[in-house]
Amino acid sequence: PVFSNFDSLGIGALLGWGHSLATNRQQDFLIKCLWIATPMALLLFLLPMVMESQIIRLAVPQLALAVVVAAIIQATNSELGRSSLRVLSLPVFVYLGQISYGIYLYHPFSARVLEKLIHFSGAPESIKIGILGILLAMLVTLIIASASWFWIEKPLNSLKSNFPYTRRPSEK
């Protein structure tokens, strides 16, 4: 089944409203809700491990992730949050940001590539299950995304200088 993630869209819209249109009292309430919801959301990540429902496995982690990301975004609105964002300037995170489009683009195929690699290498099929399988799929994704960055995206980006950009006056 395909989910549209309206819950994530709604949480993002609520956060946007809180940052732009809400009164101070409403903003305080929103922050308190996030303080309560974030630990609950982190616990929700465990729910699919104990319940066998397909809808739980598909929907609950997405909702939990949306709440956690909203809390992180909200936290960046404070001085402490802004200073904690300095960790994102570490080289490993900058590099992951560079290859993020490739990660997004190729991650759905990494499990299939991993299956083929395991089959051709003669490795036991059991390594593609569990946390080891997830880590291997992440590694495959990072390798493919890195190759894509260096062999496709970076060369294409270097062509930008051949196409001058001139801003048009805005129409009012």
Side-chain angles (χ1 to χ4, degrees):
V2 177
F3 289 94
S4 57
N5 290 335
F6 283 126
D7 50 356
S8 300
L9 183 65
I11 290 171
L14 184 62
L15 194 60
W17 167 80
H19 281 268
S20 60
L21 300 174
T23 65
N24 286 343
R25 187 169 169 233
Q26 291 167 329
Q27 287 176 351
D28 290 343
F29 179 73
L30 181 62
I31 291 168
K32 287 175 185 170
C33 287
L34 282 172
W35 272 102
I36 294 168
T38 302
M40 293 170 54
L42 291 171
L43 288 174
L44 280 177
F45 277 115
L46 302 174
L47 193 60
M49 294 179 195
V50 295
M51 295 187 73
E52 293 295 322
S53 169
Q54 183 178 6
I55 193 78
I56 296 288
R57 277 183 297 151
L58 293 173
V60 168
Q62 289 294 323
L63 173 61
L65 180 62
V67 170
V68 170
V69 168
I72 291 169
I73 292 169
Q74 176 59 39
T76 63
N77 204 28
S78 69
E79 184 58 39
L80 175 64
R82 283 189 294 278
S83 64
S84 66
L85 286 178
R86 289 191 193 113
V87 73
L88 295 179
S89 64
L90 293 173
V92 66
F93 293 117
V94 171
Y95 181 71
L96 287 174
Q98 280 183 323
I99 67 169
S100 63
Y101 182 68
I103 293 170
Y104 162 75
L105 199 60
Y106 302 117
H107 86 273
F109 308 106
S110 63
R112 187 73 177 138
V113 170
L114 180 61
E115 284 179 19
K116 294 289 185 187
L117 289 172
I118 290 170
H119 176 73
F120 288 123
S121 70
E125 294 282 320
S126 61
I127 67 170
K128 67 181 181 185
I129 299 171
I131 192 74
L132 181 59
I134 292 170
L135 292 174
L136 287 171
M138 288 170 64
L139 179 63
V140 167
T141 301
L142 291 175
I143 290 169
I144 294 170
S146 293
S148 173
W149 169 252
F150 285 106
W151 293 334
I152 300 170
E153 296 170 54
K154 192 173 180 182
L156 285 174
N157 280 338
S158 69
L159 295 175
K160 284 188 212 178
S161 61
N162 297 329
F163 302 96
Y165 173 75
T166 54
R167 178 168 279 189
R168 294 182 194 165
S170 61
E171 297 177 22
K172 292 184 179 181

